[in-house]
Amino acid sequence: MRAPAPAKINLALVVGPLRNDGKHELMTVYQRIGLSDRIEIEPAEHMRVDGFMGDTLVRDALGRLAAHAAVEQHWHATIEKRIPVAAGLAGGSSDAATALRLANETLDEPLPHEELHDLAAGLGADVPYFLADGPRLGTGDGTILAPLDLPQDFWILLALPHGVEKPSTASVYAAFDARNGAEGWDERRASVLDALVAVRRPRDLAALPPNDLASSPLADELCALGAFRADVSGAGPTVYGLFHHRRAARAAQGALKRVARTWLTAPSWYG
């Protein structure tokens, strides 16, 4: 069994105060995109994960599924990486969710979606999103998901700056707390909801508030190059620009190759 494991961007990401469980309250707009890894699952005598030496989440996902379903870990998973690693695009989370879904389908009694969602949530905040279709509003710690009806007719240019490494997620949140980033959480949360209600056309996405965790001068450059919205995805460092027309996105891609690795893609509804 094989399937694509798509990347995501956060069309909005606002972060609130620290919760009792040690996680932050947040609200995010998840959008799946066409750039994807590929996952293959086949029967095996023993657990094996090939294709990406840095994997931890796929192995963990399959181990948790086996333990929960009380079966042997009899899968061989192969990961074909295309999504850049540690880039704010949730490639590892998508790989884990896709492996979880495919392996679950091999069980004599597959787990229902609710149980699979709970297993995914234990792996990471982004993982459950990849078990669902279409754009979603993520709340709580990001694992409470609600469907969104958003336009999908635009182009997405991803730009990963040369020489920039992603800091740890823990350090990004620590910096957020140090600058009292949670102040004004209620207002920023409301601004996301207000903007979503008003979305009719792609350009309406420009009204969504900027990412609370990270910013980049590349976002301003993308807007100067014609993007109607540009922001950092997740904790970064990848920046995305949304364009009405492929030609304009292609021109921007050419202009940015001196400073960043780039990918031109589009929204994707399914995995």
Side-chain angles (χ1 to χ4, degrees), residues 2-9 31-40 78-85 89-96 98 101 130 156 158 261 263-271:
R2 60 181 66 87
K8 62 80 183 165
I9 57 174
Q31 172 65 62
R32 185 183 276 98
I33 63 176
L35 179 65
S36 64
D37 293 342
R38 193 161 189 84
I39 305 296
E40 180 174 321
T78 303
I79 305 171
E80 183 181 338
K81 289 297 292 182
R82 293 173 184 164
I83 303 169
V85 178
L89 301 174
S93 295
S94 184
D95 292 348
T98 305
R101 177 171 56 81
F130 295 102
I156 303 166
L158 304 175
R261 290 174 64 194
W263 296 261
L264 183 58
T265 185
S268 174
W269 191 269
Y270 303 104

Side-chain angles (χ1 to χ4, degrees), residues 39 51 83 107 111 126 143 192 214 217:
I39 305 296
I83 303 169
L107 299 178
L111 301 183
D126 291 337
T143 63
V192 173

Side-chain angles (χ1 to χ4, degrees), residues 110-126:
L111 301 183
H113 178 79
E114 294 76 13
E115 290 183 39
L116 211 58
H117 177 281
D118 291 344
L119 282 181
L123 293 162
D126 291 337

